Each structure stands twice: as structure tokens, then as C-alpha cells.
Amino acid sequence: MPPQPSPARFARHPWWLGGLWLLTTALLLGLQIWQERLNTQRQQTELTQTVQSQMLEKIAQHKAHLTALTALAPLAHESTALQRVAHSIATIYPRIEAIDLVTASQPATGSCQLPAAEQLASTLKPGESASLPDRLHGGRYLLIKKIANPAGWLCVRIDSEHLLDAGSLPPQVLLGISLHEQPLLKPDAAGGSEAFGQFTLDGYGQPLQVQLLSHPRPWFNARMLWTSALLSLLLVGLGALLWRSRQQSRAHQQQAQLLANEARLAHAARINSLGEMASGIAHELAQPVTALLSQSQAALRAQELSKPALLTAALQANVREARRAGDILGRMRSYISNAPSQVQTLDLRQLVEQALLLLEGPAKQAGVKLQWIPPAQPCMALADPVALEQVLHNLVRNALDALQQSATANPVITITLAQEDQQLLLYVQDNGPGLDSATAQRAFEPFFTTKAEGMGLGLPLCATLMERMGGKLEHRPSAQGACFAMQLPRAAAETSATGAAHVEP
Ligand code: ADP
């Protein structure tokens, strides 16, 4: 029996699939986390660059305002131009909260009168500018520029919180600004925020140290988990299907190869045993040929004696013996030929009924009851009708011989049809003496017979015919008598119609 395609290991051990699924999910999740982190890093780098360029732009504007105010300062005592410009700057740029011109005649006001501011101004040369944190107003710093005409200094108070345009920072990002190591804006880092961007704004006399922080984010979220799980399920499912179909096609190829090898081997075995058979043929033919010779001599004698009745009897005997010799040669030819079977779809019930028509006469003559229990539904099989009929005929003839020789009481031959998976089984069972173990072992050997008139070719030929049509013939152990089973493939279109006909021998 060629090996059946083995079910895929995955199908036999579903936990393999489960393990693979978990592993793939973990891999995909890892990949998504890695991808997410790369994206976050890229976004943070871009954000740091945006913040830096926005703030640089703002502090450059401060410097430009101071330059404009410096140019207007000489006119401060005779016109209100300086005040007007200072007012419009403060209006347009709300982060610039106060602008003071401090001279000998115009003392500082507000934060600008802080001693630290005055001290810083005193260290500067005209045209130079510097800044310091405003101790009076949180988050503010003072930008101071020394001017020569009039001798004094300009003092501008700037709200560091508005150095960035509104909405520039995503909600999870915090901003920290310090000046000379003193914090102006302190980010709330209570939740363990991580710094991702740090820079100092160089030039323009406002060396602000800026720090960008972000709230810690979870490594992964439910969306990532679900997508990984579903995607890996899809991948593992597809992989398992592909693997399984590959395994099956490989197994089918092996099976086809095995069947082809078996057929070649069987034929080679038959050819190899030709030598053995030749002696068997000679032995088998010796009897009819000897009979032909003696009957022919008897016919000649009858003719010489002008006895037509004797002549007829001798010629009839010759015909019989010649037929017997022809029969032996015909069976030998069938046995060793490798001609393919004419397989077709047929209803086994009809075939059995047709074969039994020819056997009813001999059965009646032998006093044997032929019992055939046809199933109610058609039993469609793939078989060669001529060969199958020959096999059935041989098996019933063998059973008739056995019943006659053993003089069994109430002799009966029962033919039944059963179904096993994709096979149909036709049983021929008799209630005769059956086959002893030695006979059962050799029954399928060519020229093995226990009958005085037997040829020993019936069962080997039947087995060969069955194999050629893709079936099998087997002797099955039985409680009483002999039982032979013909196994045939079911026709594809057939359904489980024969289920009701299942009769165990
Ligand atoms: P033959 O009928 O010429 O002997 P077979 O190959 O048909 O050759 O049978 C081989 C042998 O198997 C028979 O000689 C017989 O001993 C045994 N045999 C076959 N069928 C039966 C049966 N129904 N009952 C008992 N013995 C059988």
C-alpha cells in the first residue's frame, strides 16, 4: 500500500502554530516600536530646529528694535518719536513689555531700576548690549544696550514665554529657558519628562539656554498590539497553508512515483518468473497434448473400422483438449501481459447481476445456493467491466469447486458489497472448508493448486487483473469457509449512497 500524504505537522500540533503566531506577533510589535521610536526621534529633531530658528528670529528682532531705538534716542528730549516707536513696538510685539531709556536726567523705572541692571549697564561700552534675568517679574529678562547719545542705556523687558509662536509646541512637549544659568521658564518635569533638545542662542546679546522636554510615552499601545497580532495571524495562516499544500503535493508526487515503481516491479517480477512458468506451461500442456495424441489415434482407428460414433466422440474429446490447451495459453498471456485496463465508471450492482446470470446454471447443477444482497443505492466504482466479471467468475467457480469437493451441507455462496472510505469492497464468501494457512499463504502463487484438475493460475491472474484496474484482491480470514475481497476505487461523482449496503463478511 503506497503511503498516504501525511497531514502537515502544523495541523497535527496546533500549538506549533500558536507558538509561531506569538513569535511573529512579538517580532512585528518590536518592529513597530522601533519604527515608532525612529519617527519620534525624527519629529523631535525637526521640532528642535523649528524652535531654534523661531527663537533666533525673535531675539534678532529685539536687537533690531534696540538699534532703531538707539537711532531715535538723541531726539528723546525734544520729540516724542522715541516714545511712539517704543509704544508701537510694545503693541505689535506683546512679549516686549517695557522699554526704558535711562539717562542722567531720566532715571530708570520698573525692573530697569534693579541694581543688577544698573551695574550691568555700567560695565558696557556704548553700542554693546547684554541681558540679565528680571528678578521682579518671573519668566522675563532685561535686554540692555549702552548708548552714547545721550549717555545712558536702553532697557527692554521681554517675556520669554512668548519667544515662540502660539501652538508651535505639541501638547506633550515642555519648554525650559534659562539665562546665565538662572531659570526663566521652568518646565514641569514631575512626570519624569525626558530632555530631547538643548541649545544656546548665540549672538544678539541674549544667550538664552533652551531645553525641550517630552512627557514619557508608553513603549507600545493597543493599536500596535492589535495590528501585530492580526498581521502575524495572517502571515502564519498563509505560511501554514503554503507549507501544507507543498507537503501534500510532495507526498502525492512520491505516491505517484511509488505506484509507478510498483507497477514496473510487478511487471519485471512477472517477466522474471517466465522461466519458472515455462516449465509450468510445459507441465500443464503435456496433459492435453497427450490426450490430443491418444484421441487422434483413436479417431484414426475408428475411421479405419468405419465406426462414426466412436470417431465423433474422439473428435469431440480432441476439441475439448485443444480448448483446454488454448485456455492455458490464453491465461498465461493475460498474466504476463502489461496491457492497461479499460477502466470506466460503472454500477457494481449491475455488473454482479450480469456475472451471476452465467453462474446460476453451474451453481444449480452443483446444488449450491447463490446469495446476492444488492444495496438499494447505485455503487459507482472505477473498474474494467470485462476483467472484473472474469475475476468474479473465477472466485465463484473456485467456491463452487470447494463446496462440491467438500460436500458441505446447505452449501451457499454469498456476495455482498460494502464501502470503506473511498473504496468499494465486493466480497465472495462461501461456507465450504476454506483455505488452511499453508494454502492461504501460497494461493496467489502461479501454478499453485490443490485440485487434481487445477491449473493454479486463477487467483494470480485475478490479482493481476485487479491491480491493473487500480484495485486489489485479498483473501480475508473468515470464521467459516473462504472469503475473498475485491477492493475497487469509488467513482468521484459517487456519494455515500452505498452506506446502507455495508455487510461485514
Ligand atoms: P485452481 O483453481 O486452478 O487451483 P486458483 O489459483 O484459482 O487455481 O486457486 C488456487 C488454490 O486456492 C486452489 O487450488 C484452492 O486450494 C485454493 N482455493 C481457491 N479458492 C478457494 C475456496 N473458495 N475455498 C477453498 N480453497 C480455495
Side-chain angles (χ1 to χ4, degrees), residues 33-104:
I33 291 170
W34 180 65
Q35 181 74 30
E36 186 74 13
R37 286 194 88 78
L38 281 185
N39 276 345
T40 310
Q41 274 172 11
R42 188 178 44 76
Q43 285 167 1
Q44 288 176 340
T45 311
E46 283 173 10
L47 187 67
T48 309
Q49 285 167 356
T50 310
V51 168
Q52 192 168 9
S53 70
Q54 263 193 40
M55 289 179 85
L56 261 178
E57 195 185 317
K58 300 282 188 311
I59 63 169
Q61 280 173 357
H62 303 155
K63 185 80 186 227
H65 295 329
L66 279 182
T67 309
L69 290 167
T70 308
L72 289 171
L75 306 172
H77 62 282
E78 57 198 52
S79 89
T80 56
L82 180 75
Q83 283 79 7
R84 281 211 314 276
V85 171
H87 179 71
S88 49
I89 290 174
T91 313
I92 298 170
Y93 304 102
R95 65 178 182 279
I96 300 177
E97 293 179 338
I99 300 173
D100 253 2
L101 172 63
V102 184
T103 57

Side-chain angles (χ1 to χ4, degrees), residues 255-328:
Q255 192 181 356
Q257 183 69 42
L258 213 71
L259 281 173
N261 285 350
E262 270 184 10
R264 270 202 300 275
L265 273 175
H267 187 232
R270 284 200 294 278
I271 298 294
N272 284 345
S273 60
L274 262 183
E276 204 180 301
M277 280 183 203
S279 66
I281 296 168
H283 172 76
E284 288 300 320
L285 287 182
Q287 208 183 347
V289 169
T290 312
L292 271 172
L293 182 67
S294 61
Q295 290 300 336
S296 299
Q297 283 169 343
L300 282 173
R301 190 103 180 98
Q303 198 193 17
E304 276 168 20
L305 297 173
S306 302
K307 289 188 175 168
L310 272 180
L311 180 62
T312 308
L315 287 176
Q316 277 172 345
N318 267 1
V319 168
R320 227 177 19 252
E321 294 305 329
R323 275 206 184 120
R324 184 164 143 76
D327 217 23
I328 293 169

Side-chain angles (χ1 to χ4, degrees), residues 426-441:
L426 190 58
Y427 293 104
V428 177
Q429 161 93 55
D430 64 56
N431 62 346
L435 283 74
D436 58 37
S437 64
T439 308
Q441 247 178 2

Side-chain angles (χ1 to χ4, degrees), residues 142 163 197 222 231 284 316 392 421 456:
L142 301 172
L163 286 173
L231 200 65
E284 288 300 320
Q316 277 172 345
L392 185 61
D421 300 328

Side-chain angles (χ1 to χ4, degrees), residues 293-363:
L293 182 67
S294 61
Q295 290 300 336
S296 299
Q297 283 169 343
L300 282 173
R301 190 103 180 98
Q303 198 193 17
E304 276 168 20
L305 297 173
S306 302
K307 289 188 175 168
L310 272 180
L311 180 62
T312 308
L315 287 176
Q316 277 172 345
N318 267 1
V319 168
R320 227 177 19 252
E321 294 305 329
R323 275 206 184 120
R324 184 164 143 76
D327 217 23
I328 293 169
L329 291 173
R331 286 189 179 197
M332 286 305 307
R333 205 172 35 242
S334 305
Y335 180 67
I336 59 172
S337 110
N338 205 23
S341 247
Q342 302 297 313
V343 172
Q344 62 188 67
T345 301
L346 51 88
D347 186 355
L348 282 183
R349 298 176 313 164
Q350 287 173 7
L351 185 126
V352 173
E353 266 149 37
Q354 197 173 315
L356 290 188
L357 279 181
L358 294 174
L359 289 159
E360 267 164 12

